[in-house]
Each structure stands twice: as C-alpha cells, then as structure tokens.
C-alpha cells in the first residue's frame, strides 16, 4: 500500500509537470491595443423648423413680387399693342388717302387735257360756223341762219366749262359749292360721258364732308352705269364709305368685287391692306358670305 501511495504521488507530479509544459505562452499585447486614439465625430448642424419657415416665407414674398412685376409688364405690353394697332390703322388710312390724292391729281390732269382738246375742237367748229354766218350775211343780205348744232355745241361748251369749275372747287375744298355744281350739270343734261363723272364727284364731295350715306348713294349710281370710266374708283370709294359707317361686311364686298373684276387696278395695293384689316374684324363665320350688289 505504501508503494502504491508513492507511486500515485509520482504520477500526479508527473502529470502536473506535463500539463505545465503544454500551456502556451501568453501573447504579447502592445500599448496601442489598450490606448486607441479617440476619433471625434463632427456633429451636423440641422436647421430648426423656424429657420425653414422663414426661408420659405422669404421665397414666397420674392415670387409674389416677381408675379406683380410680370402682371404690370403684361398690362403695359397690352396697352402698347393696342396703341400700335391703332397707329397701324391710322397709317393705313393715311397711305390710302395719299394714294387717292395722287390718283386724283393724275386723273384731274388727264381730264383737263381731254377737256382742253375737246374745247379746242369745238372752238374750231364755232369759228367755222361763225365764218359761214358772216359770209351769208354779207353776200345774200339775209338774216343770219343759225343751225341747231351751233346752239348745242355752245351749250355743251358751257357745260364743260362748268364741269371744270366744279373740279377746281373740289380741289379748293369748297365741297358744298362743288356738289351743287355737279348736281346742276346733271339736271341740265350734260352728256353721258360726263354725267357719271358728275355723280362720282358728288360722292367724293359727300365723303369729304363725312356724309357717308349720301356718298354711298352716289357711288352706287356710278356702278349702275356699265360704260362709266369711274367704276374702279367708285368701287374703292364705296368700300371706304361702308368702312366709315361701320358696315365692314359690305366694305369687304366692295373691295373683293374690285379685286375680282379689276385685279390690276391702281388701288390694288391699298385694297389688299384694307381686306387684311377687315378679315380680322369680321367673325370667321361671316367670311364666306357672298352679297349681291347693294341696292340704292
């Protein structure tokens, strides 16, 4: 038993020795593992709710001011556009009047040349008839015999002179006197070649006096004379007269008839300008309406 006890003690000691040999050495730890540097995390400044509201209020105020400025600018632009449109219509009217005056001057010049030539021819006839009368008076010792043609030529000569006087009165802007003069010539039975001219100049006098209804009647009478040399001018002035009384549908009709029947007339450019302006005033639904010639 003693040996067994000793033997057991030796075995226990041996076991302890062997166990100590198998224990591994503790791993060396460095200083940095125990003392790591402290990293400071930056704090983000978060805007408060009151700051957001103030910023939003400021932006709304700026947007409101910009909207007011834009509204004022739009109103100014609309006013400017209206003034520009009115100036455009006024300029169109002035251009048309200038063209009418220019044409009127050329027409008067041609008419005066024709009248002068006619008067010279009639003067030669009168001198010849006068010489014949004198010859009969002194050769046959009889009462002078005057032919009806002599009186007719004399009457026509006087009427032509009165017609020229009427044109001069119109040029001098004595419209009442000129109107009475042309009316008197029609009543006296001036020849057909000038009766339509007298009617046309009556319309011009009425238009100049702003008596547009009377002017419309005169210009329509000219249009009824198919052989008249004033049809082109009558159509143009009829359109202008309707335009002045505010009847743009009939004014458009007159200008369209003039362009259709006489596409190369001397008012063509002014007529195109007026039609473009009228098409903007007349509703689209009325643009295709066709009219017969207005009755007197």
């Amino acid at each position: 038993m003693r040996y067994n006890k000793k033997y057991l003690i030796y075995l226990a000691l041996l076991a302890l020795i062997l166990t100590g040999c198998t224990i591994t050495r503790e791993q060396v730890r460095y200083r940095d593992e125990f003392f790591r540097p402290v990293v400071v995390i930056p704090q983000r400044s978060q805007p408060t709710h009151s700051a957001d509201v103030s910023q939003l209020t400021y932006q709304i105020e700026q947007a409101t001011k910009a909207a007011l400025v834009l509204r004022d600018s739009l109103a100014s632009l609309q006013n400017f556009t209206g003034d520009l449109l009115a100036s455009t219509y006024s300029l169109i009217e002035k251009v048309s009047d200038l063209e009418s005056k220019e044409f009127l001057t050329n027409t008067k010049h041609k008419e005066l040349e024709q009248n002068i030539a006619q008067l010279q021819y009639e003067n030669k006839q009168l001198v010849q008839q006068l010489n014949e009368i004198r010859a009969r008076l002194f050769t046959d010792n009889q009462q002078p015999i005057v032919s009806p043609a002599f009186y007719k030529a004399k009457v026509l000569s006087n009427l032509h002179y009165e017609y020229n006087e009427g044109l001069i009165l119109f040029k001098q802007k004595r419209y009442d006197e000129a109107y009475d003069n042309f009316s008197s010539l029609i009543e006296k039975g001036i020849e057909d070649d000038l009766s339509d001219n007298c009617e046309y100049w009556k319309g011009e006098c009425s238009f100049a006096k702003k008596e547009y209804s009377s002017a419309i009647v005169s210009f329509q009478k000219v249009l009824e004379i198919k052989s008249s040399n004033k049809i082109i001018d009558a159509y143009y002035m009829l359109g202008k007269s309707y335009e002045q009384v505010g009847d743009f549908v009939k004014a458009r009709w007159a200008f369209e008839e003039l362009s259709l029947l006489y596409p190369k007339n001397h008012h063509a450019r002014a007529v195109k300008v007026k039609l473009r302006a009228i098409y903007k005033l007349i509703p689209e639904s009325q643009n295709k309406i066709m009219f017969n010639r207005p009755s007197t």
Side-chain angles (χ1 to χ4, degrees), residues 192-193 195-196 219-232 235 253 257 261-262 293:
D192 295 338
D193 292 341
S195 62
D196 58 328
F219 295 134
Q220 285 175 339
K221 287 183 179 179
V222 176
L223 296 181
E224 294 174 357
I225 304 174
K226 301 296 184 181
S227 61
S228 174
N229 62 342
K230 287 290 185 182
I231 288 182
I232 292 176
Y235 268 120
W253 168 86
E257 282 286 293
L261 298 176
Y262 307 95
R293 180 173 299 170

Side-chain angles (χ1 to χ4, degrees), residues 81-266:
T81 303
D83 295 339
L84 182 62
L85 184 60
S87 301
T88 302
Y89 282 120
S90 177
L91 183 61
I92 291 172
E93 187 66 24
K94 289 181 180 179
V95 171
S96 300
D97 292 339
L98 289 175
E99 290 178 348
S100 299
K101 290 179 180 179
E102 181 181 0
F103 171 73
L104 182 61
T105 303
N106 296 335
T107 303
K108 287 181 179 179
H109 182 69
K110 292 180 181 179
E111 289 180 350
L112 288 175
E113 289 181 348
Q114 294 175 356
N115 292 334
I116 290 173
Q118 182 68 22
L119 290 174
Q120 290 176 346
Y121 174 75
E122 293 175 354
N123 188 37
K124 291 181 180 179
Q125 288 184 332
L126 291 175
V127 170
Q128 183 178 358
Q129 292 177 1
L130 182 59
N131 291 333
E132 291 177 358
I133 292 172
R134 288 177 177 175
R136 290 181 183 179
L137 179 63
F138 290 105
T139 55
D140 299 335
N141 196 19
Q142 297 178 354
Q143 294 293 331
I145 301 175
V146 182
S147 64
F150 173 80
Y151 289 108
K152 183 177 181 180
K154 185 176 181 179
V155 170
L156 291 177
S157 177
N158 292 336
L159 294 180
H160 286 182
Y161 178 77
E162 290 183 22
Y163 177 80
N164 292 332
E165 278 188 340
L167 294 177
I168 294 173
L169 291 171
F170 180 85
K171 186 176 181 180
Q172 294 175 348
K173 297 183 178 181
R174 297 159 64 179
Y175 301 121
D176 289 327
E177 298 178 47
Y179 184 91
D180 294 338
N181 182 84
F182 292 123
S183 298
S184 176
L185 288 173
I186 294 175
E187 292 177 357
K188 290 178 181 179
I190 192 171
E191 56 190 303
D192 295 338
D193 292 341
L194 288 179
S195 62
D196 58 328
N197 290 38
C198 291
E199 196 66 56
Y200 173 80
W201 290 115
K202 282 175 60 180
E204 285 276 7
C205 291
S206 298
F207 187 89
K209 293 189 296 180
K210 298 183 179 181
E211 298 175 357
Y212 303 116
S213 297
S214 178
I216 289 172
V217 173
S218 295
F219 295 134
Q220 285 175 339
K221 287 183 179 179
V222 176
L223 296 181
E224 294 174 357
I225 304 174
K226 301 296 184 181
S227 61
S228 174
N229 62 342
K230 287 290 185 182
I231 288 182
I232 292 176
D233 298 319
Y235 268 120
Y236 181 69
M237 293 304 299
L238 182 63
K240 290 184 65 176
S241 300
Y242 279 128
E243 193 177 25
Q244 291 296 326
V245 299
D247 194 342
F248 295 105
V249 175
K250 290 185 179 180
R252 187 202 68 207
W253 168 86
F255 292 135
E256 286 179 345
E257 282 286 293
L258 177 56
S259 299
L260 180 64
L261 298 176
Y262 307 95
K264 296 183 179 181
N265 68 87
H266 48 273

Side-chain angles (χ1 to χ4, degrees), residues 73-88:
S73 300
L74 181 59
S76 301
L77 181 61
Q78 289 176 344
N79 294 334
F80 176 76
T81 303
D83 295 339
L84 182 62
L85 184 60
S87 301
T88 302

Side-chain angles (χ1 to χ4, degrees), residues 276-287:
R276 281 198 298 267
I278 290 175
Y279 287 149
K280 295 180 181 179
L281 297 175
I282 300 177
E284 186 68 23
S285 59
Q286 299 182 19
N287 278 344

